[in-house]
Amino acid sequence: MTVLPPPAPEWAVVQWFNTPDPLTLQALRGRAVALLSFQMLCPGCVASALPQAARLHALFPRERLAVVGLHTVFEHHEAMTPAALRAFLHEYRIPFPVGVDRHDGASPLPRTMRAYAMRGTPTWTLIDREGRLRAQHFGEIDDLHLGAEVAALTLGADLRAPRARGDAPGCADGACAAAADG
Amino acid sequence: MTVLPPPAPEWAVVQWFNTPDPLTLQALRGRAVALLSFQMLCPGCVASALPQAARLHALFPRERLAVVGLHTVFEHHEAMTPAALRAFLHEYRIPFPVGVDRHDGASPLPRTMRAYAMRGTPTWTLIDREGRLRAQHFGEIDDLHLGAEVAALTLGADLRAPRARGDAPGCADGACAAAADG
Amino acid sequence: MTVLPPPAPEWAVVQWFNTPDPLTLQALRGRAVALLSFQMLCPGCVASALPQAARLHALFPRERLAVVGLHTVFEHHEAMTPAALRAFLHEYRIPFPVGVDRHDGASPLPRTMRAYAMRGTPTWTLIDREGRLRAQHFGEIDDLHLGAEVAALTLGADLRAPRARGDAPGCADGACAAAADG
Amino acid sequence: MTVLPPPAPEWAVVQWFNTPDPLTLQALRGRAVALLSFQMLCPGCVASALPQAARLHALFPRERLAVVGLHTVFEHHEAMTPAALRAFLHEYRIPFPVGVDRHDGASPLPRTMRAYAMRGTPTWTLIDREGRLRAQHFGEIDDLHLGAEVAALTLGADLRAPRARGDAPGCADGACAAAADG
């Protein structure tokens, strides 16, 4: 028996940058999606994850992969406003679409962040061509690993299944295991 | 009509390190092969390609991918002897099998290097599970790109075909194009 | 005849962080001062100059050198408020005192930035133990060079004078020359 | 009472590269000397210390500082011959003079390495303008620190004395303390 991964929840975004039209998961069906959740004042996001996302955006053709940023502010709300984000995206030359995750009164954590049960920033979420949630990774992930996972995603495959029963000594981070029960 | 890539020539190796038995392409059939040709006194090999090969070796399970080094000495022959290579592999903690490419009297370039028409070091050669030569890359290649290519190789797919008709702005190096006519 | 370098203008600061009391140049007399002007949304400041300032702060004893940050906002004023700076300094673990340069109605450039004729961010300003302006450097400066200049400053010496008549091939940036006519 | 640092022992070198004439400490009197002991198959030397020595060589004027390499082979003697070193220096574009430390029958460690009581490679030895041994540092040292120490050396000063009674939190490595008893 094979259990399919769950569908990725739709995003709750109040404002988009770097795209003429709002993006929806529904409209991206047929393409793999690499979603990077970040905060503009998160050092690991700025030094590592956002440049990595820009490299990913440059490497794969648009019709195979959509790289999308999500500004999931859960602290320092007064400093990380949409106006501040706009300046940040300009100064750092971020080339891919970025949405602002929606807050409601219920929590300091925004809604999409809660719907995906993200633990912090940066978090990578990999969504397959059918809109299913394939992997989620909190913290840094090296380029070799990310390139391999995303390539498999764009091919409709999953690298992690064989690895689960295998001997991948380099797969030291927790993300793979977390998604393996999908 | 589809033209299959050519079979990869068998290796001509005089001595192996880091493996109890000599390796042959024939015996690796069924697994993808990432072959790194290097010289121990080539700065780009030492600083970039060999650590990258070690990361690749750590990331993928052995039964899916064989990472193999090939010492293709074409200059400073007196300095880069097998004895010197042995010390080098020990000091740099190279974890994967490495063969010494065979010289004959015909050329300062060793035989496998000539059979594969390599232009220098480092050179990556990607060979699929059926032993066909899928790609060759001279010089540095970034981790994201290499991870993606190798993942596709282990899945029996080829990332480059769609890219050839596509718009991959990050695929700036020549290796993709060079192999596309295979 | 020797022409002394000019006195460094006093700072115009509206708010200080990471110090119980406001800092003045006058009060720092007797110690060398390395002043780093930056903006929190300037990528070169965040990736390179601010970590370098933290290293400088850690290397030299406090009684010999004061490392001071100056937030000289000349663009994106709505994004780089003192409240945003406070969050930034916290997230990036900046350990040295930082002042906010004062704006008046006359210019988008703040007052200290104008008084020192700074061209942008990051800018390093080196001030000697007598409060004289010894060097100013716009853009990146490598650690070896900065360590050498600051060490000389703390010793009451000036490395650049001999270099002016000499053959320092590594001193490729403009800052040295600019200060040599002081 | 002040105890002067001891004179640095003269070097025992069998062969020089990158210099028309052999170098002696005696002939370098009047200039500060930064001596880097290395082995061509020592990964830390190749990745970090040798590029750092090249930067140091580029930064300071020749008449103030002599950067000198010393090939102190204490292992893998068959691999690190003078002929291999020649190829290495060429491939890595080492721009400063390099001597080969002399072996006698008494030890696998060469003579200068023993005379200076070096613990391994890389080792930096700083010698002042009067030929006295001011500091010795085994392992990596960051650029900011090295730049500061060498600048003081060229000025006839010593940064470490005030630090000994001070509060230099960044001076975490052992080199300073080791030389303080000089």
Side-chain angles (χ1 to χ4, degrees), chain D residues 51-108:
Chain D
Q52 190 176 42
R55 289 193 295 274
L56 202 59
H57 180 71
L59 183 62
F60 284 87
R62 301 282 178 280
E63 74 270 16
R64 304 198 119 216
L65 178 73
V67 175
V68 179
L70 185 68
H71 200 225
T72 49
V73 179
F74 61 90
E75 56 186 350
H76 304 303
H77 297 86
E78 77 294 354
M80 296 190 275
T81 61
L85 177 64
R86 181 192 301 276
F88 173 85
L89 297 176
H90 173 77
E91 289 303 318
Y92 278 84
R93 312 283 187 266
I94 303 296
F96 47 83
V98 173
V100 177
D101 198 359
R102 180 184 297 276
H103 281 91
D104 51 33
S107 166

Side-chain angles (χ1 to χ4, degrees), chain B residues 97-134:
Chain B
V98 172
V100 176
D101 198 359
R102 180 184 298 277
H103 281 91
D104 52 32
S107 164
L109 274 62
R111 279 176 55 177
T112 314
M113 188 179 183
R114 277 148 51 205
Y116 280 76
M118 294 174 189
R119 295 160 51 204
T121 54
T123 292
W124 280 101
T125 302
L126 301 185
I127 299 167
D128 68 18
R129 300 177 300 190
E130 285 78 37
R132 292 187 298 249
L133 208 157
R134 283 284 176 178

Side-chain angles (χ1 to χ4, degrees), chain C residues 61-150:
Chain C
R62 300 284 179 278
E63 74 270 15
R64 302 196 122 217
L65 177 73
V67 174
V68 179
L70 185 67
H71 199 224
T72 48
V73 179
F74 61 89
E75 56 187 348
H76 304 303
H77 297 85
E78 78 293 352
M80 295 191 274
T81 61
L85 177 63
R86 180 192 303 275
F88 173 86
L89 297 175
H90 173 76
E91 290 302 318
Y92 278 83
R93 311 287 186 262
I94 302 296
F96 46 82
V98 172
V100 177
D101 198 0
R102 179 185 297 278
H103 281 92
D104 51 31
S107 165
L109 275 61
R111 280 176 55 178
T112 314
M113 187 177 183
R114 277 147 52 205
Y116 280 76
M118 294 172 189
R119 295 161 51 204
T121 54
T123 292
W124 279 103
T125 302
L126 302 184
I127 300 167
D128 70 18
R129 300 178 300 190
E130 285 77 37
R132 291 187 298 249
L133 208 157
R134 284 283 177 179
Q136 199 173 65
H137 187 93
F138 171 51
E140 293 202 19
I141 177 170
D142 65 87
D143 270 20
L144 203 65
H145 190 163
L146 183 65
E149 296 260 359
V150 169

Side-chain angles (χ1 to χ4, degrees), chain A residues 56 58 64 143-144 147-148 151 162 167 169-170, chain B residues 56 58 61 64 143-144 147-148 151 162 169-170:
Chain A
L56 202 59
R64 302 197 120 217
D143 270 19
L144 202 65
D167 59 348
Chain B
L56 202 59
R64 302 198 121 217
D143 269 20
L144 202 65

Side-chain angles (χ1 to χ4, degrees), chain A residues 47-107:
Chain A
S48 170
L50 284 164
Q52 191 176 42
R55 290 194 293 273
L56 202 59
H57 180 71
L59 183 62
F60 285 87
R62 300 284 179 279
E63 73 270 16
R64 302 197 120 217
L65 178 72
V67 175
V68 179
L70 185 67
H71 200 224
T72 49
V73 180
F74 61 90
E75 56 187 349
H76 305 303
H77 297 86
E78 77 293 353
M80 295 191 275
T81 61
L85 177 63
R86 180 192 302 275
F88 173 86
L89 297 175
H90 173 76
E91 290 302 317
Y92 279 83
R93 311 286 187 263
I94 302 296
F96 47 81
V98 173
V100 177
D101 198 0
R102 180 184 298 276
H103 280 91
D104 52 32
S107 165

